[in-house]
Amino acid sequence: MRFYLISDNVDTQLGMRLAGIEGVVVHEENEVREALEKAMNTEDIAVILMTEKLVVLCPELIYELKLNRSCPLIVEIPDRHGNGRTKDSITKYVQDAIGIKLK
């Protein structure tokens, strides 16, 4: 089982490649969807790393895949510009998964 990177940044891809993680650089929503579909259907990929900027391009698809598929695991990673994650992102996943609003 292996990791796979879907990034919007060549520097992130290069750093991950130095760590032995292959991946692809994309910029448009349709490219993200194609790369994600290809990675989700590759049997030996266990973890998909995605930069936060790309997750913002198609959040509904990412949330649906995280909630309904156990493998591969999709992990959002910050890019070199910092962490753009909102403070409630984990809360939203839990609310969607169990159907109860948390305070």
Side-chain angles (χ1 to χ4, degrees):
M1 300 307 255
R2 63 186 173 108
F3 283 76
Y4 187 77
L5 172 72
I6 302 175
S7 176
D8 63 309
N9 187 297
V10 174
D11 294 337
T12 302
Q13 182 195 30
L14 179 60
M16 291 295 183
R17 193 175 327 161
L18 290 171
I21 299 171
E22 293 297 319
V24 63
V25 176
V26 295
H27 300 286
E28 303 295 327
E29 181 179 350
N30 64 327
E31 295 173 323
V32 174
R33 288 178 180 274
E34 289 174 16
L36 192 54
E37 182 179 335
K38 181 180 176 185
M40 293 294 288
N41 293 321
T42 303
E43 289 188 26
D44 67 333
I45 294 177
V47 179
I48 299 172
L49 303 173
M50 291 185 69
T51 54
E52 290 175 338
K53 185 175 178 182
L54 294 181
V55 172
V56 170
L57 290 178
C58 48
E60 299 84 18
L61 175 62
I62 303 299
Y63 288 141
E64 179 186 332
L65 291 171
K66 283 184 172 186
L67 290 173
N68 297 318
R69 300 225 6 209
S70 60
C71 193
L73 178 66
I74 299 173
V75 179
E76 298 173 49
I77 60 171
D79 63 10
R80 65 184 177 149
H81 300 294
N83 185 346
R85 181 177 301 163
T86 63
K87 64 180 181 173
D88 294 328
S89 63
I90 294 175
T91 304
K92 179 165 175 32
Y93 289 133
V94 173
Q95 287 175 345
D96 291 346
I98 64 174
I100 298 173
K101 186 173 182 176
L102 303 172
K103 293 211 174 221

